[in-house]
Amino acid sequence: MSNGLNRFAFFLKQAEDLMSNAEKQKMQLYGCIKTMPEQLFLCWKV
Amino acid sequence: MLEGLAKLYKELHNEKRFTKIKEQCKLIEDSLGQIDYYDFLQTAFAENKQIPPYARQYVKQQFLNKIAQLNEILIDKDWIKKDNKRVKKIAQKISEADWMKPQQEVESIQQFYGEAIYAIIEFLDETSFHFDNVEEDVHELRRKLRWLSIYPHALQGCIQLTKEKKMLPHLKKYLTKAITTSPFNSFPAAADNTSFLLLNKNYFLALSWLIAELGNLKDEGLIIAGLKEAIQQATSVNDADAYKKTYILLGKKQRKMESILNDAEKITKTFVTENNLEHLVFSTATIAEKNRGK
């Protein structure tokens, strides 16, 4: 598998987990992101 | 991160495919940015007892509206529900892309960095280093600069920092303890990457300093802009009167917007005229060259 594909796959998995978590938390995606480790959280807000 | 990868890869290959992915991810990240803006204002206003209840209520309501808008997007665009259709669609699209060999990809990423830096310099040339709007000038410039520090994280190890031996005197002022010890300034490990783009460590740290300083100035400016916005939503005052009211509410210690914008102009001009952006990229390297300390 190419590195580029792996990179996307890694973040897509993260997005999938995040969305599934947000759905469980009654659509509070922002709240779920804010509870992520700071380094990951900052990556979402550009 | 997904937006960052799509933004970069659309310039490397499969432009149409990655542009579409970029737009889909950007919609989410922009919405999160808007929620975060009103969340930031809520916190800032909570710390100041002079802020009237109507302004607090306005930012709270905007925060809730933006969350509702994001949730609509998440459902409409199939990010949630419907068995994660959006994620699966993107996974399918990227699996069919024309991925390059590592060495060729890294050379293209080097070129991409050069073009991104040129675009930033061009953006600044257009303003002649004169900023008159915190959102359109300072925040926008910071976003453009910040992408340069996000790609190394998104690319997971294929961008590394050089091991600097020498320190140029003009960079010393940027390499504060907060910057040199920040965990955000270390890149992901090389992992199984075999080709690398090397960034000059001290120039990268200097860039991080500028991003951090512009971030502080942007936040200070956005409190003024946010309170002015809240005042104008609740009352029918013109810009000048809204600013007057804003500064009264924020107290004597609050600097004027002009002073914030001037500071942003000053540090940006110094940084750019030192040609620091042009020295950010060092070279590409194979794994053997990197291990030899290139």
Side-chain angles (χ1 to χ4, degrees):
Chain A
M1 203 196 272
S2 96
N3 284 339
L5 190 55
N6 276 332
R7 288 169 196 136
F8 261 102
F10 175 82
F11 289 113
L12 275 176
K13 176 78 180 79
Q14 204 181 72
E16 194 174 11
D17 292 347
L18 195 61
M19 297 299 173
S20 146
N21 198 16
E23 202 174 343
K24 280 184 212 147
Q25 307 283 327
K26 297 185 181 163
M27 312 290 292
Q28 292 298 322
L29 178 64
Y30 179 73
C32 292
I33 290 174
K34 274 208 103 168
T35 61
M36 293 166 90
E38 196 183 7
Q39 197 158 352
L40 278 176
F41 172 63
L42 287 175
C43 292
W44 277 89
K45 42 175 285 192
V46 178
Chain B
M1 287 299 185
L2 285 171
E3 185 190 341
L5 285 176
K7 193 172 156 70
L8 184 146
Y9 279 108
K10 86 176 176 62
E11 301 299 327
L12 268 55
H13 52 87
N14 303 96
E15 186 184 351
K16 205 173 155 191
R17 184 178 308 225
F18 285 115
T19 299
K20 210 167 171 191
I21 296 173
K22 190 201 109 176
E23 282 162 6
Q24 287 156 348
C25 298
K26 189 175 188 308
L27 206 54
I28 305 295
E29 298 196 24
D30 285 354
S31 296
L32 284 165
Q34 288 177 352
I35 298 170
D36 196 58
Y37 170 60
Y38 288 105
D39 190 24
F40 163 74
L41 288 179
Q42 280 193 97
T43 310
F45 289 2
E47 289 163 1
N48 183 342
K49 290 191 176 109
Q50 300 303 314
I51 306 291
Y54 69 79
R56 289 170 204 266
Q57 186 53 37
Y58 170 76
V59 294
K60 186 183 174 187
Q61 195 51 52
Q62 287 299 102
F63 173 73
L64 296 173
N65 291 348
K66 299 296 174 191
I67 286 182
Q69 282 171 17
L70 172 64
N71 287 340
E72 264 177 45
I73 296 170
L74 291 176
I75 295 170
D76 285 355
K77 304 290 177 191
D78 297 329
W79 281 98
I80 54 172
K81 316 270 181 190
K82 294 189 187 167
D83 200 22
N84 295 105
K85 211 164 138 190
R86 175 62 50 209
V87 172
K88 286 185 178 125
K89 266 189 182 173
I90 297 177
Q92 178 65 31
K93 276 183 187 293
I94 58 166
S95 72
E96 293 160 359
D98 307 310
W99 297 103
M100 294 171 167
K101 294 256 183 293
Q103 181 61 31
Q104 188 195 3
E105 185 178 81
V106 158
E107 282 165 14
S108 301
I109 294 172
Q110 181 180 28
Q111 194 182 338
F112 172 84
Y113 256 82
E115 284 162 10
I117 288 167
Y118 180 75
I120 293 170
I121 294 169
E122 213 172 34
F123 170 80
L124 286 167
D125 276 347
E126 278 168 23
T127 66
S128 308
F129 293 102
H130 176 68
F131 299 158
D132 51 22
N133 184 301
V134 70
E135 177 55 37
E136 288 166 20
D137 297 327
V138 183
H139 201 175
E140 190 52 30
L141 168 65
R142 185 176 181 272
R143 280 193 197 102
K144 289 178 191 295
L145 293 169
R146 201 162 132 62
W147 279 117
L148 300 176
S149 69
I150 284 179
Y151 299 130
H153 292 276
L155 290 168
Q156 296 166 59
C158 117
I159 299 186
Q160 295 289 321
L161 292 171
T162 55
K163 295 179 180 76
E164 283 294 318
K165 289 159 195 121
K166 271 196 298 187
M167 152 83 83
L168 291 167
H170 81 275
L171 292 179
K172 266 188 189 167
K173 59 183 175 291
Y174 301 119
L175 307 195
T176 61
K177 197 177 173 193
I179 288 295
T180 54
T181 58
S182 166
F184 303 116
N185 291 329
S186 338
F187 291 173
D192 58 353
N193 288 285
T194 52
S195 296
F196 303 90
L197 176 66
L198 302 179
L199 300 186
N200 270 311
K201 186 177 178 182
N202 289 338
Y203 284 96
F204 178 79
L205 293 174
L207 170 67
S208 297
W209 179 90
L210 181 65
I211 294 170
E213 288 300 310
L214 288 176
N216 294 336
L217 293 166
K218 179 256 309 174
D219 285 350
E220 199 182 344
L222 286 183
I223 291 175
I224 297 172
L227 184 53
K228 176 183 163 276
E229 176 190 327
I231 289 168
Q232 287 188 299
Q233 287 297 321
T235 57
S236 55
V237 290
N238 61 24
D239 274 2
D241 288 341
Y243 269 121
K244 263 187 213 162
K245 176 90 175 150
T246 298
Y247 291 124
I248 291 169
L249 293 171
L250 291 175
K252 281 182 183 166
K253 283 186 186 163
Q254 176 59 57
R255 288 192 293 164
K256 299 281 186 288
M257 185 68 98
E258 290 74 20
S259 163
I260 296 167
L261 294 170
N262 282 343
D263 278 5
E265 274 177 29
K266 207 169 136 190
I267 58 171
T268 304
K269 191 170 185 179
T270 304
F271 185 88
V272 173
T273 51
E274 287 171 346
N275 297 324
N276 294 323
L277 281 173
E278 288 87 338
H279 287 92
L280 179 65
V281 176
F282 180 65
S283 71
T284 59
T286 61
I287 193 151
E289 287 168 334
K290 184 183 159 295
N291 290 341
R292 281 200 303 270
K294 184 175 179 181

